Amino acid sequence: QVQLVESGGGLVQAGGSLRLSCAASRRIFSMGWYRQAPGKQRQLVATITSDSTSNYADSVKGRFTISRDNAKNTVYLQMNSLKPEDTALYYCYAYSTLSRQAYWGQGTQVTVSS
């Protein structure tokens, strides 16, 4: 079993920045972030593997940067140039190819005001 704990959410003005963190109880090959806005389904934001190969949703490319510190079993999401449409509950995600199991954090709220 893997435990994921997110932090770093908050309220910011449009154009501002936030940095989300997710600490895992152990190293996982693939980690990332999803978000869910009111009235919408949960959507993938970004993923990163242990060798730092990353992928992003088109809506956040050029604004968000995902990174990880394998020594700390932690993944980060640097969010710049935030827009009101980025407002959502952000969930940390991890997938183990060895165990074929997915894990989720409890979520951290990001609210962007106009």
Side-chain angles (χ1 to χ4, degrees):
Q1 185 62 259
V2 175
Q3 184 170 279
L4 304 175
V5 181
E6 307 103 326
S7 63
L11 173 64
V12 298
Q13 299 179 44
S17 299
L18 283 174
R19 189 192 192 205
L20 306 183
S21 299
C22 175
S25 57
R26 66 174 176 86
R27 184 173 177 176
I28 302 295
F29 177 73
S30 181
M31 299 183 69
W33 295 90
Y34 282 70
R35 66 186 183 186
Q36 187 168 23
K40 299 182 67 176
Q41 294 185 336
R42 191 174 299 183
Q43 298 178 319
L44 180 67
V45 177
T47 60
I48 188 167
T49 58
S50 295
D51 65 352
S52 296
T53 298
S54 59
N55 291 285
Y56 299 90
D58 288 341
S59 60
V60 305
K61 287 181 179 178
R63 299 188 298 119
F64 291 10
T65 302
I66 190 169
S67 62
R68 64 189 292 168
D69 184 338
N70 290 330
K72 298 180 179 180
N73 298 330
T74 300
V75 64
Y76 305 94
L77 186 68
Q78 179 66 46
M79 305 184 294
N80 298 326
S81 302
L82 283 162
K83 305 174 181 179
E85 65 196 61
D86 295 317
T87 295
L89 188 63
Y90 283 69
Y91 295 91
C92 183
Y93 163 87
Y95 181 76
S96 172
T97 56
L98 181 61
S99 66
R100 297 181 181 273
Q101 291 184 314
Y103 305 93
W104 295 91
Q106 295 299 307
T108 184
Q109 179 67 39
V110 172
T111 302
V112 184
S113 64
S114 59

